[in-house]
Amino acid sequence: MTGKPMRSDTERNRKNLIQAGARLFERSESPISLTEIAAEAGVSVATAYRQFTSVEEVLNAYRQEVGQLLLDYSIGQRSSGLEKLENVSRYWVKLVRERGAAMVPMRNRRGYLERLWEGAEYLQVQADALRPALRESMDEMDLPDIGDKAIFLWNILFDPREIFDLLNTVGLTEKQVGTQLMAVLVGGLRGFATANDFTVEACRTR
């Protein structure tokens, strides 16, 4: 069933709540409440609860907005395969640097693939941005399709927390982060695709 379009004031309140939640989550070192988000957005608590049932829901909506930017960029790419994967991955690093601080504290006890396969929208939009490039890259490297294990690996490497660690703690530039994570991703994809033949002995230099 198609939902009714939001009234302009309802849509505005929703956007304000999402942005307010992102601002608070970015600068707060302690848990925040929907009441605090409502105050930051300049709306009533009742209005906040009409839009969202929890703080997590607000922040998932924010993450979905950022993921949509990645999907739009991916769709607009004329490249394919490894080139497209690199371009999209580098753009994600840029998005994280510019917008991702609010996503760093987000942690969930359930696994990434469990949530993705259950249909979490904020993960689906990001996966939609990456799946075609990952599949094309595996084909370009003459490797078998490993399905969503590829996006699973990408998610581990390109986690916002780890990107900020490389930027702020290690002191890498945005370009260096993209280059090094892409190199590890390609190695990891090869590893996943050939894992059944893996032995420690084969890895040793003689």
Side-chain angles (χ1 to χ4, degrees):
M1 184 174 67
T2 304
K4 294 180 180 179
M6 286 187 186
R7 289 169 39 188
S8 60
D9 57 339
T10 301
E11 185 174 359
R12 182 175 61 251
N13 287 337
R14 181 180 175 85
K15 289 181 178 179
N16 287 342
L17 285 162
I18 292 170
Q19 293 302 316
R23 289 194 301 271
L24 288 175
F25 218 45
E26 181 175 342
R27 64 179 187 244
S28 177
E29 296 182 359
S30 57
I32 60 175
S33 67
L34 204 52
T35 299
E36 291 173 296
I37 293 176
E40 175 76 13
V43 302
S44 69
V45 176
T47 295
Y49 274 101
R50 279 196 293 270
Q51 293 292 330
F52 300 101
T53 61
S54 67
V55 171
E56 182 179 8
E57 197 173 301
V58 177
L59 294 168
N60 285 347
Y62 175 73
R63 188 166 183 174
Q64 185 175 351
E65 285 188 356
V66 179
Q68 185 64 50
L69 294 174
L70 186 70
L71 177 58
D72 292 344
Y73 180 85
S74 178
I75 291 172
Q77 285 291 297
R78 295 185 177 181
S79 56
S80 62
L82 286 165
E83 183 181 355
K84 181 175 182 178
L85 180 59
E86 180 177 22
N87 290 342
V88 174
S89 297
R90 287 187 183 279
Y91 187 66
W92 175 252
V93 174
K94 180 176 184 291
L95 286 174
V96 168
R97 183 179 60 78
E98 294 175 350
R99 302 167 179 261
M103 298 188 290
V104 168
M106 291 180 67
R107 281 290 189 241
N108 196 301
R109 296 179 66 179
R110 297 189 302 146
Y112 170 78
L113 289 179
E114 179 185 357
R115 288 174 287 136
L116 176 64
W117 290 349
E118 284 183 355
E121 293 182 359
Y122 72 97
L123 296 179
Q124 288 284 356
V125 67
Q126 185 186 63
D128 288 345
L130 288 153
R131 280 184 177 126
L134 285 164
R135 283 195 298 267
E136 292 168 2
S137 295
M138 298 298 286
D139 184 61
E140 191 174 329
M141 293 187 288
D142 198 25
L143 295 171
D145 186 0
I146 59 174
D148 275 349
K149 285 189 288 186
I151 189 70
F152 170 82
L153 178 61
W154 186 93
N155 180 70
I156 291 173
L157 293 173
F158 287 86
D159 183 286
R161 185 188 305 268
E162 316 315 334
I163 289 174
F164 278 117
D165 206 17
L166 292 173
L167 289 169
N168 300 332
T169 307
V170 180
L172 299 183
T173 65
E174 183 182 309
K175 182 177 181 180
Q176 288 172 325
V177 170
T179 298
Q180 294 185 23
L181 289 182
M182 184 65 187
V184 177
L185 175 62
V186 169
L189 291 172
R190 292 185 185 280
F192 252 132
T194 59
N196 290 338
D197 301 321
F198 173 81
T199 63
V200 172
E201 288 73 20
C203 295
R204 293 194 177 108
T205 57
R206 301 181 184 278

